[in-house]
Amino acid sequence: MSTLLTGIAASAGIAMAKAYRFIEPELTVEKIKVDQPETEVARLDGAVEKSQSELEAIREKAHKELGQEKAAIFDAHLLVLQDPELLGPIKDRIQSENVNAEFALKETADMFITMFEQMDNEYMKERAADIRDVTKRILSHLLGIHIPNPSLIAEEVIIIAEDLTPSDTAQLNPEFVKGFTTDVGGRTSHSAIMARSMEIPAVVGTKEAVASIQNGDFIIVDGLNGEVHINPTPEVVKQYEFKHSAYEAQKAEWAKLVSQPTLTKDGQRVELAANIGTPKDLKGVLDNGGEGIGLYRTEFLYMGRNELPSEEEQFEAYKAVLEGMKGKPVVVRTLDIGGDKELPYLDLPKEMNPFLGYRAIRLCLDEQSIFRTQLRSLLRASVYGNLKIMFPMIATLTEFREAKKMLEEVRQELTAEGVSVSNNIELGIMVEIPSTAVMADVFAKEVDFFSIGTNDLIQYTMAADRMNERVSYLYQPYNPAILRLVKMVVDAAHKEGKWAGMCGEMAGDEIAIPILLGLGLDEFSMSASSILKSRSLISKLTKQEMESLAKEVLLMETNEDVKQTVANAVEKNKK
Ligand code: PEP
Ligand code: MG
């Protein structure tokens, strides 16, 4: 029977394929007395063998697709799997207590995990995490329960999940993963943002996808309208084939603008830049005509691994991006870990409100050696292109001054070592906390630029979690409260002769763009896949008319009034 679910359109495009449920199964273990312990030992050996060939295949794939660093995680797992210090005590337990393999495995592994976790030694803590992963794998084979692993998918599928973490999303291979849908999430959760840069159509916040979809169901993900069709009728499939072709034709039309500058109808220039998470995203930026990088989220370099990236590894990544952009501006944001972007190996205490907690610049100013390593690699890379550095989550001027001081100290250190550093690096901040937007006039005297991070600015201003679909109705980019804050920031920058950009998702939103043009925003940074569409929209608008439109909407009362007014004005302006 055909069923329709609705959710939030998170990444544009239409995808059709079979469902692949990515859901962690429950692995429940019972204690069972056995008569023949040797059979249990043999079952354990069989499960270890299966786990070994599975891990070797994953390691091989990770090595090919993600590089040696990422593959090293699986080397560590293989070592655990072959470790007699772990397997020996499990077998002893089976034989001495006459218990089933599952029980002996779980009890023994839990004992080692607790022991290692309590040690005051990072290396041993990492081993605890490895043992946990490996135990899960062996247990799944003993219990005959399949643990899904999206990195091993080798046919076209649509992923169905409760939620996807940013590192889950990073592992998806767009060659096979044609789309995804999740029960929870918002348009600005990081998995949605990543889906846009990977150009994987996605609908999030469908609430019931996991409950309604079985493995193998035929699914259509409509990332344009936020709809998911389960086992659609042949008529619906036909309509979507048509919609898909129309969207592809539209994209081909936009693609003609790839080498054009971004100009309004009356010839005013603005910059359209891209947001990236790794050097691998550069191809998408160049293919989509990005005029710069407005936000390089460096935290992805720190994720999906077991230890901090070295200075050398970071240097290589920053250098690759700077060289790849051939002198065009590259705004690199220093580490913004926290919120939904976790680094398990830092072993930070769990927080009640991670988005309001110990994250980004707060963590960097405290964990100085992490921050200094990043600043060293950035400054070393600065001679390879047009680098601009930006600090995230700045709430007070004191934080900015402290971070700037540290940057200067690192510069002096490098100069003393005889390392060359560019002396033309602009230094800016993300404006994503309301206190900073309100104080923009004061900040503007000390920073070289602002980049407005509306993903967080909206959630903090409206007190509406950006990841929670139940309050997504309050996550209102066009609310005059947000527009007034944006205006304060842009005006403050211009008064001091500085530039103001925006790297939150609002910068690529077709209702927001006309207003932002009218407010005088200088740089719009967005998912690469939104650039050409935005360039096409801007070419149909006149700056002067957008200025009057901005004035009008700033005085409006609600998000909906603004939305309607802009939609009408754009229609009129296009004619
Ligand atoms: C933002 O908050 O708008 C932003 C660009 O940063 P992030 O989405 O990484 O929090
Ligand atoms: Mg942010």
Side-chain angles (χ1 to χ4, degrees):
M1 202 188 64
S2 142
T3 317
L4 170 67
L5 300 179
T6 54
I8 298 165
S11 176
I14 309 281
M16 304 190 213
K18 277 196 320 193
Y20 179 101
R21 286 165 59 91
F22 177 36
I23 295 147
E24 286 273 315
E26 286 273 339
L27 300 176
T28 325
V29 170
E30 283 175 41
K31 180 177 183 179
I32 302 172
K33 279 279 175 197
V34 298
D35 298 331
Q36 291 177 316
E38 48 302 345
T39 316
E40 293 304 299
V41 171
R43 283 183 63 229
L44 179 71
D45 284 338
V48 169
E49 240 170 71
K50 282 188 193 148
S51 304
Q52 173 147 353
S53 22
E54 203 171 74
L55 273 172
E56 279 165 356
I58 300 176
R59 182 192 50 187
E60 187 68 26
K61 198 162 187 294
H63 185 74
K64 257 199 241 132
E65 286 167 15
L66 306 168
Q68 181 48 35
E69 291 281 337
K70 297 266 157 74
I73 298 178
F74 304 106
D75 282 328
H77 288 191
L78 280 163
L79 280 179
V80 172
L81 196 63
Q82 289 147 358
D83 189 352
E85 306 257 349
L86 174 69
L87 292 181
I90 301 172
K91 291 182 182 173
D92 288 348
R93 193 153 188 163
I94 295 178
Q95 278 156 338
S96 61
E97 296 181 23
N98 281 8
V99 288
N100 54 329
E102 290 87 340
F103 181 76
L105 166 67
K106 180 91 177 49
E107 291 284 298
T108 315
D110 282 353
M111 183 200 65
F112 280 116
I113 292 168
T114 316
M115 192 170 90
F116 287 161
E117 271 179 345
Q118 281 168 355
M119 289 184 187
D120 195 17
N121 173 324
E122 279 312 312
Y123 178 79
M124 293 321 259
K125 284 185 178 160
E126 279 168 25
R127 297 293 74 79
D130 293 339
I131 297 177
R132 186 175 286 115
D133 272 15
V134 170
T135 309
K136 204 163 77 183
R137 193 173 296 283
I138 309 176
L139 255 185
S140 74
H141 287 296
L142 282 170
L143 294 167
I145 294 175
H146 173 68
I147 297 186
N149 184 340
S151 62
L152 289 183
I153 294 172
E155 57 176 340
E156 294 196 351
V157 296
I158 305 279
I159 299 263
I160 315 298
E162 157 83 9
D163 194 10
L164 288 175
T165 64
S167 47
D168 291 333
T169 315
Q171 284 179 39
L172 304 180
N173 177 353
E175 190 188 340
F176 298 119
V177 176
K178 294 291 143 194
F180 72 74
T181 179
T182 57
D183 281 355
V184 303
R187 227 188 103 74
T188 60
S189 44
H190 283 98
S191 46
I193 292 173
M194 288 170 75
R196 290 198 279 284
S197 69
M198 295 161 89
E199 300 198 35
I200 300 181
V203 176
V204 301
T206 44
K207 297 190 183 84
E208 292 159 34
V210 168
S212 330
I213 301 175
Q214 300 309 317
N215 269 331
D217 279 345
F218 184 72
I219 304 295
I220 300 178
V221 169
D222 176 355
L224 297 167
N225 291 332
E227 290 184 357
V228 176
H229 295 262
I230 310 169
N231 296 324
T233 60
E235 291 76 54
V236 174
V237 173
K238 232 195 191 99
Q239 280 167 17
Y240 269 96
E241 279 165 357
F242 183 72
K243 200 167 169 182
H244 178 68
S245 319
Y247 184 61
E248 289 303 311
Q250 173 72 84
K251 281 207 312 201
E253 202 49 45
W254 292 330
K256 294 182 185 156
L257 299 173
V258 70
S259 325
Q260 304 290 320
T262 311
L263 293 172
T264 59
K265 203 160 144 190
D266 48 349
Q268 299 285 322
R269 177 124 198 207
V270 290
E271 186 185 326
L272 285 196
N275 296 346
I276 63 166
T278 95
K280 277 200 278 182
D281 296 338
L282 271 188
K283 183 174 180 308
V285 177
L286 300 173
D287 289 352
N288 284 288
E291 294 164 291
I293 305 287
L295 167 64
Y296 176 3
R297 288 185 166 94
T298 56
E299 48 277 9
F300 288 101
L301 204 60
Y302 293 66
M303 292 163 64
R305 50 190 295 151
N306 281 335
E307 61 198 359
L308 290 163
S310 65
E311 179 182 320
E312 213 45 43
E313 194 185 339
Q314 294 192 52
F315 165 74
E316 289 299 336
Y318 306 147
K319 178 173 169 235
V321 173
L322 285 161
E323 285 186 336
M325 289 307 290
K326 300 196 172 68
K328 288 181 181 157
V330 174
V331 181
V332 180
R333 176 173 78 180
T334 58
L335 182 62
D336 180 5
I337 214 65
D340 60 339
K341 292 173 290 195
E342 293 179 9
L343 290 189
Y345 57 83
L346 285 189
D347 207 24
L348 299 170
K350 277 258 166 274
E351 297 186 315
M352 300 280 280
N353 292 302
F355 271 99
L356 300 181
Y358 185 64
R359 57 173 290 204
I361 201 69
R362 303 164 184 195
L363 183 146
C364 286
L365 291 176
D366 193 32
E367 302 273 348
Q368 294 197 4
S369 75
I370 298 180
F371 195 36
R372 282 179 194 274
T373 305
Q374 180 171 43
L375 296 177
R376 272 184 71 90
S377 31
L378 270 173
L379 291 183
R380 281 177 53 202
S382 65
V383 291
Y384 294 94
N386 182 358
L387 173 68
K388 301 173 196 293
I389 297 178
M390 163 161 89
F391 301 131
M393 290 288 290
I394 292 285
T396 68
L397 200 60
T398 312
E399 281 175 329
F400 172 69
R401 287 178 180 156
E402 260 183 66
K404 181 174 175 180
K405 184 163 154 265
M406 234 179 266
L407 182 72
E408 281 318 310
E409 285 166 9
V410 172
R411 175 194 287 277
Q412 278 167 19
E413 192 180 285
L414 284 167
T415 313
E417 288 171 27
V419 178
S420 44
V421 174
S422 160
N423 50 19
N424 201 10
I425 307 171
E426 287 186 9
L427 185 59
I429 57 168
M430 301 266 310
V431 182
E432 49 188 340
I433 298 183
S435 61
T436 303
V438 171
M439 295 286 280
D441 56 336
V442 179
F443 277 97
K445 296 189 177 14
E446 299 194 23
V447 303
D448 295 322
F449 67 92
F450 290 130
S451 185
I452 309 174
T454 47
N455 303 341
D456 280 317
L457 185 65
I458 298 169
Q459 80 165 342
Y460 297 138
T461 306
M462 305 298 296
D465 185 341
R466 65 194 258 192
M467 316 251 293
N468 185 341
E469 71 289 349
R470 298 175 78 179
V471 292
S472 61
Y473 71 99
L474 279 174
Y475 193 89
Q476 302 182 341
Y478 329 116
N479 187 300
I482 304 296
L483 303 179
R484 289 182 193 197
L485 287 178
V486 171
K487 177 174 165 51
M488 283 170 77
V489 177
V490 176
D491 288 352
H494 291 173
K495 191 150 173 261
E496 296 297 331
K498 312 288 169 68
W499 62 270
M502 179 177 285
C503 59
E505 292 300 300
M506 186 172 169
D509 177 303
E510 56 190 338
I511 297 290
I513 287 174
I515 310 174
L516 299 172
L517 259 184
L519 291 177
L521 192 77
D522 303 293
E523 176 237 37
F524 298 62
S525 192
M526 58 192 70
S527 310
S529 55
S530 303
I531 291 178
L532 293 169
K533 181 180 179 192
S534 305
R535 185 169 292 153
S536 159
L537 172 64
I538 290 171
S539 72
K540 297 186 175 102
L541 306 174
T542 41
K543 175 92 187 261
Q544 226 183 8
E545 287 178 54
M546 293 308 114
E547 281 169 359
S548 329
L549 176 70
K551 271 203 193 105
E552 186 186 346
V553 296
L554 278 171
L555 298 174
M556 290 192 158
E557 291 166 357
T558 68
N559 188 67
E560 289 65 35
D561 292 346
V562 174
K563 195 171 171 183
Q564 194 53 55
T565 306
V566 176
N568 295 343
V570 170
E571 263 324 296
K572 209 172 105 212
N573 210 250
K574 275 185 189 169
K575 283 179 191 149

